[in-house]
Amino acid sequence: MTDILIVDGDAAFAGGLAESLLEHGFASNSCNSLSRALGILHTGAFKVVLLGDDLPDGDVLDYLAHIREVPSFPEAIVVTRRRDPDMAERAIQSGAWNYVTKPLNLQRLLVLLERVITYHTKVHSGFCPVSLRRQGIIGNSRPMLSCLDAVAQAATSDINVLLVGETGTGKELFARSIHKNSARQNKPFVVVDCAAMPDTLAESLLFGHERGAFTSADAPTVGLVKQADGGTLFLDEVGELPMPLQKVFLRVLEGRSFRPVGGTREINSDFRLLAATNRNLEKMVENEEFRRDLYFRLRGMHIRLPALRDITEDINEMTCKFIQRHCEKLKMTTKGFSPDFLDALMQYQWPGNVRELIHTLEQALSRAGNDAVLFPRHLPKAIRAQIARRAMEPERRGAKPAHHHEIAPPEAFPDLRTYRDQQIAQSEERYLMNLMEITGGEIASSCALSGLSRARLYALLKLYGIARK
């Protein structure tokens, strides 16, 4: 089996490297352009791509994301004669495994390839040692599965974790999933909303106080930090933590001990720390708005959650689950939704992410009343207006990469009719699967929701091999 693809404009270099790798037991293939590489990758099961120099169709870093998204999800190693620190940093930020320079040290490359192939085989073997408790996390797109892999990894240790993502991406949900999959799952999960803590009471809320510590302190109280003893302390929106409190909290993290307001002795608390923010803490550190030492203490492990607009393939599943959940909550008959309703959801940009999607579906269900099927007209006018505006706007030139990315060789590229038929078939299959999920496979209800006759419904279910629930 060929695990390695060499992409380099220098045919002599690529050929020589392929021979050297073969002598050491690594079979490889090679090509001299990025567009051809993408075509080859779509037809094989490569684990590693060595991206070289002198390529005719652009900068390799512009293609990294496309290369890592082909079906076999290969790792990429940039191999270049350019000793450029900025390019090396950009390569790693873009998802490259490593950045190595020519002339190559063959022994080091062999060790690197062995590690990458071992890692790739382990990660994509389909073996899952533990059944992960998702805690309501929905989605199976690659970015979402990558985040869930990180959750599983974080749950196996007590390392501090920093969750970063836009508002509404579900940071607390992921934090709860880490807690529920950890050894501390039966202990408290305590949330500290850093954005809502009043400055004057912050220390008392966090660390508690003794009786008489201040005017209204009629009795001693236990702070949130002590309440998390044995469990997990979750600092939500940690970027809003006031600077004076950051210094105090840093000491707590270092020693896991603190002194209540008005207290005279130290109290210990064995908590696991998770933190979340929608702000750029690195920039805040540069602007001296956040303590550098606290930032590095928080960032033991870093998990970046994707925005909803980047995982539109998950919107279908999310919509089904949220509609079903809301209808059960209100004890109403589950509603279906039309294909153009789903299309509208997928065209919208969702600045409020999953939280906005949930609220939008709740509004649509409310507007639908006794209607059995949701249509785009049930969506809020503001969302429909945005979708209409985007449809009429001229295509933004900056929205596409500077170079045309072929995903297959020209001879394998489908004609328009074939492509259209494939897309229609995929949409129909997705719709029918959702229909069976919503109606529980009950044919009369399915016909009523879809507008299909019994004969046509049976024929389509047979065509796509979809079983009734």
Side-chain angles (χ1 to χ4, degrees), residues 24-183:
H24 291 83
F26 292 102
S28 63
N29 199 347
S30 63
C31 64
N32 60 0
S33 74
L34 289 163
S35 57
R36 185 175 295 177
L38 283 167
I40 294 172
L41 287 169
H42 275 82
T43 60
F46 294 90
K47 297 176 181 177
V48 190
V49 182
L50 299 177
L51 293 171
D53 293 303
D54 304 322
L55 297 168
D57 41 5
D59 185 347
V60 295
L61 301 189
D62 291 338
Y63 283 75
L64 265 175
H66 296 270
I67 288 171
R68 300 208 63 234
E69 288 175 358
V70 299
S72 63
F73 303 131
E75 299 294 340
I77 299 174
V78 177
V79 181
T80 176
R81 67 173 64 91
R82 295 174 58 184
R83 304 185 68 86
D84 185 342
D86 292 337
M87 185 176 178
E89 180 181 2
R90 185 177 157 215
I92 301 302
Q93 293 284 2
S94 300
W97 180 282
N98 209 335
Y99 182 93
V100 297
T101 55
K102 300 176 181 177
L104 292 175
N105 181 316
L106 184 59
Q107 292 304 317
R108 289 183 181 176
L109 180 62
L110 291 173
V111 171
L112 182 60
L113 288 173
E114 187 172 349
R115 288 175 181 170
V116 175
I117 291 172
T118 301
Y119 170 83
H120 186 281
T121 302
K122 181 180 178 181
V123 168
H124 299 284
S125 64
F127 173 71
C128 183
V130 207
S131 179
L132 188 70
R133 298 181 182 90
R134 287 196 173 206
Q135 295 303 114
I137 300 170
I138 301 169
N140 290 289
S141 61
R142 192 184 180 201
M144 187 64 75
L145 291 178
S146 177
C147 287
L148 289 170
D149 285 343
V151 166
Q153 183 182 350
T156 60
S157 71
D158 264 358
I159 190 173
N160 296 339
V161 179
L162 179 62
L163 296 152
V164 179
E166 297 178 8
T167 299
T169 49
K171 295 184 286 295
E172 183 175 337
L173 207 58
F174 276 85
R176 288 185 182 275
S177 183
I178 293 173
H179 172 72
K180 283 297 183 182
N181 286 280
S182 73

Side-chain angles (χ1 to χ4, degrees), residues 224-230 255-258 267-271:
L224 296 173
V225 174
K226 183 60 179 177
Q227 291 176 31
D229 189 16
R256 290 299 194 270
S257 63
F258 60 94
I267 295 178
N268 295 322
S269 179
D270 173 28
F271 61 87

Side-chain angles (χ1 to χ4, degrees), residues 294-462:
L294 179 58
Y295 170 65
F296 286 114
R297 177 71 67 173
L298 294 175
R299 188 176 171 168
M301 182 177 178
H302 182 270
I303 301 177
R304 179 169 293 279
L305 305 186
L308 184 56
R309 61 182 172 275
D310 297 327
I311 51 170
T312 52
E313 59 264 50
D314 288 333
I315 289 178
N316 179 33
E317 185 180 356
M318 289 180 181
T319 301
C320 290
K321 297 292 185 183
F322 293 150
I323 288 177
Q324 185 178 19
R325 186 185 304 168
H326 192 68
C327 289
E328 288 175 357
K329 179 181 176 182
L330 298 181
K331 296 181 179 179
M332 58 190 293
T333 304
T334 301
K335 297 183 185 296
F337 53 88
S338 64
D340 52 344
F341 179 85
L342 180 61
D343 287 342
L345 296 182
M346 296 183 75
Q347 289 172 31
Y348 185 57
Q349 289 297 290
W350 301 110
N353 295 293
V354 180
R355 185 181 296 137
E356 184 183 7
L357 174 63
I358 294 172
H359 292 163
T360 298
L361 292 174
E362 289 175 352
Q363 292 179 58
L365 288 168
S366 176
R367 285 189 173 90
N370 294 325
D371 294 346
V373 180
L374 297 176
F375 294 99
R377 67 184 178 87
H378 293 129
L379 292 170
K381 286 184 179 179
I383 289 180
R384 291 165 57 199
Q386 284 294 321
I387 295 170
R389 180 181 179 85
R390 283 181 59 84
M392 294 298 105
E393 285 179 347
E395 192 171 344
R396 297 185 183 119
R397 292 185 179 180
K400 287 190 174 182
H403 304 285
H404 174 62
H405 295 175
E406 294 182 70
I407 62 171
E411 60 271 16
F413 198 77
D415 58 75
L416 180 60
R417 180 184 295 276
T418 301
Y419 179 77
R420 184 190 296 124
D421 290 344
Q422 290 172 348
Q423 297 304 307
I424 291 173
Q426 290 174 9
S427 297
E428 283 186 348
E429 182 178 10
R430 186 171 63 230
Y431 178 81
L432 291 167
M433 291 176 68
N434 291 338
L435 184 66
M436 292 296 102
E437 179 74 27
I438 289 171
T439 63
E442 211 284 316
I443 295 298
S445 299
S446 298
C447 291
L449 286 176
S450 64
L452 296 169
S453 67
R454 280 178 173 267
R456 180 58 177 160
L457 179 58
Y458 280 123
L460 287 172
L461 292 175
K462 182 178 180 181

